[in-house]
Amino acid sequence: TIVAAATLDMARRLAPFAENHAVTLAFQNTAGDAISSPVNFSGVLALSKNFRINLDIGNFTASNFPAVAFVQENHASISHITIKDRTRDGGGNEEFGNGDTPIKPVLALLKEKRYGIPVFVQYEYLGLGTPGQEVRKCMDYVRAALT
């Protein structure tokens, strides 16, 4: 699976490539770009059977979309989920647990429904510790959410 943040126009141009070469392309949402809303994702998925979603729930939350409902409705089209914590209304990245991103509810849904969607932790906030220490804190948060 190739992951990329792209515009809808770029997705249209990539559809023949994905079809001709049997390549899976997962489009990652970034707050504010052309592929960031549920409607945009529906449009992208309609372009190719080889298109999937890499859902960044932090960016989704910052764009004021409901991550839990989206995962529930679109789990079959999600290749993987990127987790970071952000605040709504285009807000910044926060330490896990301090933003508005529903990290725990999304993880609970994945666990309860056994969707089998891989989850990637993205350390993107300005932490006080070393990057290694901060990533460990993120992973500890995720582990605690899953227990």
Side-chain angles (χ1 to χ4, degrees), residues 1-6 24-29 53-54 79-80 82 120:
T1 300
I2 298 172
V3 177
T24 301
L25 297 173
F27 292 91
Q28 180 174 349
N29 57 310
I53 298 167
N54 168 27
S79 63
H80 55 290
T82 300
F120 294 89

Side-chain angles (χ1 to χ4, degrees), residues 1-13:
T1 300
I2 298 172
V3 177
T7 63
L8 196 52
D9 183 53
M10 183 170 284
R12 282 188 195 97
R13 292 184 307 181

Side-chain angles (χ1 to χ4, degrees), residues 83-86 92-98 121-131 133-139 141:
I83 294 180
K84 64 182 171 202
D85 207 350
R86 290 190 62 183
N93 295 301
E94 302 290 340
E95 186 174 329
F96 281 31
N98 292 336
V121 169
Q122 186 170 3
Y123 163 58
E124 204 170 297
Y125 61 90
L126 182 58
L128 298 177
T130 66
Q133 291 168 330
E134 295 299 325
V135 169
R136 271 190 289 287
K137 283 172 42 179
C138 296
M139 293 303 297
Y141 183 89

